[in-house]
Amino acid sequence: MSQNFLVDPRAVESIVRAAEPSGVVLEPGAGDGAVTVALAARGARVTAYEIDPLLAAKLSARTRADGGIRVVRGDFIKARAPREAFAVVGNIPFSRTAAIVDWCLNAPALTSATLLTQREYARKRTGDYGRWSLVTAATWPWFGWELRASVGRDSFRPVPAVDAAILRIQRRAEPLVGDRAAFTALVELGFTGVGGSVRASLRTRYRGVDAALAAAGIAPDTVVGYVHPEQWIAVYDSLTS
């Protein structure tokens, strides 16, 4: 089940500090409850999801007296998102990272997601390699992506093959773009790789691409991964104004 339990109290504190928990918090992959208990101690009302029936039973018994914790035996991905504002916080199974992130991005009432992921994943999604992914660029007008503290592999038992990092996804108070479908279509077209450059891809559907790229500071031969999310917004504004 890709279970790597967090045994370093400093790492747990780093997650909780990054999450700034309050109100309703959903926790994917609660495991033995190290993060669960820490979140509740900060005043959050935690619904902890654990797919392993034995672990879920143990955590439920351990936290039965804590009114701020509810343990659900089941798959977080299949959970229905709350209608009220809520956050997601957790040391998630690395093998389920993409699915959990996608669930979070599609939950209308989500305010933030603070997730302990593989360090490489967190770096890719936050532009730490100097390149930007489709997921980040396409959601940037609605969500900020931040790389927070790194967590070494020795903080887990069993010890995984890779280090981890805290990925913070924060919903913006006001979207930077009005039409989500149109912006997403533009970015997805740019990432198709048609013609080998952003310019070539966008010219298959839009007029005025050269002027829009120049205004955004993007060279004509730029590879799509090197276009900053803010530049995508500038291009969109130019092409749709």
Side-chain angles (χ1 to χ4, degrees):
M1 295 186 181
S2 302
Q3 294 165 314
N4 297 99
F5 302 108
L6 201 56
V7 296
D8 183 353
R10 294 171 299 180
V12 173
E13 175 59 26
S14 292
I15 296 172
V16 175
R17 189 185 312 116
E20 300 178 346
S22 64
V24 177
V25 174
L26 272 56
E27 182 191 7
D32 60 4
V35 176
T36 314
V37 172
L39 291 170
R42 295 291 183 93
R45 302 193 304 277
V46 186
T47 299
Y49 288 85
E50 177 51 55
I51 199 169
D52 184 316
L54 180 59
L55 285 174
K58 287 183 176 180
L59 181 57
S60 181
R62 176 188 172 194
T63 60
R64 186 170 292 120
D66 192 327
I69 297 174
R70 181 170 72 97
V71 179
V72 176
R73 174 187 166 185
D75 189 349
F76 171 80
I77 297 300
K78 297 178 181 179
R80 179 177 297 179
R83 293 184 178 181
E84 62 183 308
F86 73 99
V88 172
V89 184
N91 167 32
I92 64 176
F94 291 166
S95 63
R96 307 295 302 280
T97 300
I100 291 172
V101 168
D102 185 62
W103 187 99
C104 292
L105 295 175
N106 285 286
L110 178 96
T111 58
S112 66
T114 307
L115 308 173
L116 189 58
T117 72
Q118 288 188 24
R119 188 166 182 266
E120 181 180 8
Y121 180 91
R123 293 188 68 188
K124 285 181 177 179
R125 291 294 177 263
T126 57
D128 198 52
Y129 287 115
R131 295 173 61 94
W132 297 90
S133 71
L134 170 58
V135 172
T136 307
T139 60
W140 191 263
W142 297 272
F143 295 94
W145 296 69
E146 294 181 77
L147 175 66
R148 295 293 185 92
S150 294
V151 176
R153 65 193 74 183
D154 291 337
S155 295
F156 300 88
R157 293 294 181 273
V159 178
V162 296
D163 293 326
I166 299 170
L167 172 64
R168 172 79 171 174
I169 305 171
Q170 178 81 41
R171 186 182 294 276
R172 301 188 189 281
E174 294 293 335
L176 305 179
V177 167
D179 191 331
R180 186 163 191 168
F183 179 82
T184 301
L186 171 80
V187 176
E188 288 180 343
L189 177 62
F191 271 84
T192 59
V194 176
S197 68
V198 177
R199 176 178 181 269
S201 297
L202 295 183
R203 279 166 62 95
T204 64
R205 189 180 302 172
Y206 298 93
R207 295 181 179 180
V209 170
D210 288 350
L213 294 178
I218 303 170
D221 60 348
T222 299
V223 176
V224 67
Y226 291 101
V227 178
H228 192 282
E230 294 289 347
Q231 291 178 306
W232 278 114
I233 295 173
V235 169
Y236 172 82
D237 288 342
S238 294
L239 294 179
T240 58
S241 60

